[in-house]
Amino acid sequence: MEFETKAVHAGFNKDKVTGATALPIHTSASFAYDSAQDLADVFAGRKYGYIYSRIANPTVSAVEKRINSLEDGVGAILTSSGMSAIATVVFTLTRQGDEIVSSRSLFGGTLLFFKDVIEKYGVKVKYVDAKDVDAYRTGINDKTKLVFLETLGNPKLDIPDIERIGGICRENNVPLVVDGTLTTPYLFDAKKFGVSIIIHSTTKYITGNGTAIGGVLVDLGNYDWAGSKVPDIRELSKRARQAAFLVAARNQIASNIGVSPSPFNAYLINLGIETLALRMKEHCNNALELALWLKSHSQVKEVNYPGLEDHADHETVNKQFDGRASGLLTLRLGSKAECFNLIDKLNMVKNLANLGDAKTLILHPGSTIYHECSDEEKEGAGVTDDLLRVSVGIENIKDIIADFEQAFRT
Amino acid sequence: MKVQINGKEEEIDREEVTVSELLVIKDIEMPDMVSIELNGTILDKGRYDITVVKSGDVLEFLYFMGGGSACGI
């Protein structure tokens, strides 16, 4: 089945009782059984069934199956946010004294999670340049439990060679964990490029309309957990086999922390997935057109969009993302004041902290998402004072350009 | 033939079946998320098609996703 078809049909066919073809929203905290033995069997894993929606929920499970189908993975866990998906993976794989090797070109929220949470619990994060393949090799040692990077650095828009970094991870028996939020499973086939676990903030392109906060993690089956450096996952793999990581992630971490999404949000995410392929094509087309237009504008000092042929990572876009560079671009105007002025003059384009919305969005990262980060962290993420980030929407490109044109002019 | 599944004796209307066939016969929900123990040995999923279940065999089906309990793992 092709991607577009799976996006519409995978995970849910019709409701067995009513025949409903729209995914039912099961807003039930828990699930009743006729006999005490039945519930005991479900608890013991001897019978299939739902117990309590913090652990699993039928609406949420259907969306997990759909996303897992798009990624061709072993299984997926849907979470309450992209950040909670990252937290679930990191807490599952690391213990005090362990290390993470991470690209320094990271979303601000991830940087703060590493700094404010993980490092306080005794896990060291070693940062490397996103594209410096050898630095990943040098950074890995016996304590390294995972390598972390983003498919397309946000907002630096630099693109690591994931196949080569995946090879280094395999040589060193370390799972490669990748945040694919900006590329989605439509642009990036994570399994093919050797990723172990792919994470998405579903809030962005996957849902696509700025409604529901959500996240997902998918085990792609590329890492053999029987040889894991994490003792309890290695032990778990004797019974759960390739699902060992997912069992640990769901039952030890996700359930106990309580990162489950609401069934209503799962419904909205599912609805968004149906049109993911259509929307991504438009985001990519519009972003390229806007990038070309901005590039020719006299008030714009610099445009960064990997879809441009002269971008340093354009070849990697062709290799990893089949020539499509998603919907995010950045521009530099020379000063923070110029940036604020442009934002204030835009009419249709919304000034807000999100991306991947059907609507075109703009943000000054330095004074918002990265306002708590050090100068060094900002530099690593490519955030300068005169930088604006634009998430190009799926409106008609003429209207998007017209709004920028009038904002620059007035 | 008679086999024991999760502690209960069950009649299967065949002389022998593969594990994959048994999953279909028993209408197991989410077969990808079930771990199967045959006579005390956990089976590799890749061997479900070639592993034959015979009369008197003892099977344990353990779900580790969905309901969410990993207690059986």
Side-chain angles (χ1 to χ4, degrees):
Chain A
M1 209 181 272
E2 298 298 322
F3 186 95
E4 293 83 350
T5 315
K6 288 196 278 190
V8 175
H9 292 285
F12 180 74
N13 181 17
K14 64 179 181 184
D15 186 84
K16 283 181 181 169
V17 177
T18 64
T21 54
L23 179 62
I25 306 167
H26 295 277
T27 52
S28 186
S30 52
F31 301 86
Y33 290 84
D34 290 336
S35 78
Q37 187 60 50
D38 281 346
L39 184 55
D41 284 345
V42 174
F43 262 87
R46 303 178 86 191
K47 188 180 167 79
Y48 177 78
Y50 292 92
I51 297 168
Y52 187 66
S53 285
R54 174 167 48 77
I55 305 167
N57 171 280
T59 310
V60 174
S61 293
V63 185
E64 287 168 344
K65 282 189 240 174
R66 180 163 292 185
I67 296 175
N68 185 52
S69 170
L70 296 178
E71 297 282 13
D72 192 22
V74 175
I77 299 175
L78 198 71
T79 60
S80 54
S81 68
M83 286 312 306
S84 64
I86 292 173
T88 298
V89 172
V90 171
F91 282 130
T92 303
L93 293 178
T94 60
R95 308 287 180 270
Q96 193 174 37
D98 288 343
E99 294 185 4
I100 294 170
V101 174
S102 173
S103 154
R104 88 169 37 91
S105 177
L106 291 178
F107 163 59
T110 308
L111 265 178
L112 291 172
F113 169 68
F114 285 162
K115 191 168 74 169
D116 291 347
V117 183
I118 286 305
E119 292 186 6
K120 284 181 186 168
Y121 283 87
V123 176
K124 185 177 173 185
V125 183
K126 280 186 189 168
Y127 293 99
V128 297
D129 184 279
K131 296 196 291 181
D132 187 347
V133 176
D134 290 333
Y136 290 92
R137 192 194 305 277
T138 312
I140 295 172
N141 62 30
D142 288 345
K143 294 176 185 171
T144 310
K145 294 300 194 296
L146 68 104
V147 167
F148 189 93
L149 53 87
E150 296 179 3
T151 49
L152 225 170
N154 170 17
K156 200 171 186 180
L157 303 177
D158 50 349
I159 307 174
D161 186 332
I162 295 173
E163 196 164 33
R164 286 181 64 200
I165 297 164
I168 290 166
C169 290
R170 266 194 307 283
E171 283 167 25
N172 290 280
N173 187 28
V174 176
L176 174 60
V177 179
V178 171
D179 182 339
T181 298
L182 291 191
T183 43
T184 80
Y186 181 67
L187 296 184
F188 178 58
D189 186 347
K191 186 173 183 174
K192 181 179 150 192
F193 284 89
V195 175
S196 311
I197 297 161
I198 188 88
I199 293 169
H200 301 283
S201 165
T202 59
T203 316
K204 315 300 189 303
Y205 293 108
I206 287 182
T207 303
N209 44 34
T211 50
I213 300 287
V216 70
L217 63 93
V218 184
D219 181 346
L220 298 163
N222 281 333
Y223 185 85
D224 181 6
W225 299 106
S228 171
K229 290 185 194 173
V230 184
D232 44 312
I233 294 183
R234 201 167 57 237
E235 188 58 32
L236 205 49
S237 75
K238 290 177 185 168
R239 305 209 72 179
R241 305 288 180 187
Q242 193 49 35
F245 167 79
L246 289 166
V247 174
R250 185 186 292 276
N251 297 310
Q252 293 172 8
I253 306 299
S255 300
N256 289 326
I257 294 179
V259 301
S260 48
S262 94
F264 182 65
N265 280 7
Y267 168 82
L268 292 173
I269 295 164
N270 194 60
L271 210 53
I273 292 170
E274 293 186 353
T275 57
L276 177 61
L278 294 173
R279 287 183 286 104
M280 286 314 290
K281 285 177 198 164
E282 284 308 297
H283 283 295
C284 294
N285 291 341
N286 282 355
L288 180 59
E289 284 206 46
L290 182 64
L292 288 167
W293 183 85
L294 288 167
K295 216 177 158 198
S296 66
H297 198 283
S298 60
Q299 287 167 263
V300 178
K301 310 286 182 230
E302 191 181 304
V303 178
N304 183 12
Y305 180 62
L308 293 170
E309 283 182 7
D310 60 355
H311 189 278
D313 296 332
H314 190 65
E315 277 310 305
T316 320
V317 170
N318 290 337
K319 179 186 162 192
Q320 288 180 179
F321 312 142
D322 202 17
R324 295 164 300 192
S326 195
L328 208 65
L329 61 84
T330 61
L331 58 150
R332 295 180 72 174
L333 296 183
S335 71
K336 181 179 170 182
E338 293 283 343
C339 291
F340 274 35
N341 189 44
L342 183 76
I343 289 174
D344 292 348
K345 298 267 176 63
L346 286 163
N347 293 325
M348 182 187 79
V349 175
K350 300 278 185 295
N351 173 37
L352 58 81
N354 193 18
L355 61 89
D357 196 319
K359 299 176 275 295
T360 298
L361 315 172
I362 195 162
L363 182 80
H364 181 255
S367 62
T368 56
I369 293 172
Y370 290 84
H371 83 282
E372 289 178 63
C373 295
S374 67
D375 288 344
E376 191 187 351
E377 287 162 345
K378 284 182 187 174
E379 191 186 333
V383 176
T384 54
D385 224 22
D386 68 339
L387 184 91
L388 287 170
R389 187 186 77 181
V390 181
S391 172
V392 186
I394 59 172
E395 303 98 333
N396 190 301
I397 186 62
K398 290 177 190 167
D399 292 318
I400 300 171
I401 289 174
D403 199 22
F404 275 93
E405 194 169 33
Q406 66 77 26
F408 276 121
R409 199 175 56 237
T410 55
Chain B
M1 66 172 176
K2 284 182 180 165
V3 294
Q4 191 176 308
I5 299 174
N6 286 358
K8 286 182 197 162
E9 193 161 275
E10 300 204 17
E11 182 73 40
I12 307 292
D13 192 21
R14 296 268 292 272
E15 282 308 303
E16 54 179 39
V17 290
T18 65
V19 172
S20 294
E21 288 168 335
L22 186 63
L23 286 168
V24 175
I25 291 167
K26 294 301 297 172
D27 196 19
I28 297 296
E29 288 198 62
M30 296 181 76
D32 292 343
M33 287 297 146
V34 70
S35 169
I36 298 173
E37 200 176 281
L38 175 63
N39 300 325
T41 305
I42 293 279
L43 297 176
D44 271 333
K45 284 196 190 318
R47 298 183 63 81
Y48 285 4
D49 283 342
I50 53 171
T51 303
V52 176
V53 178
K54 297 181 292 294
S55 185
D57 280 348
V58 177
L59 292 118
E60 286 284 321
F61 289 175
L62 300 169
Y63 287 98
F64 45 82
M65 297 286 279
S69 173
C71 304
I73 298 297

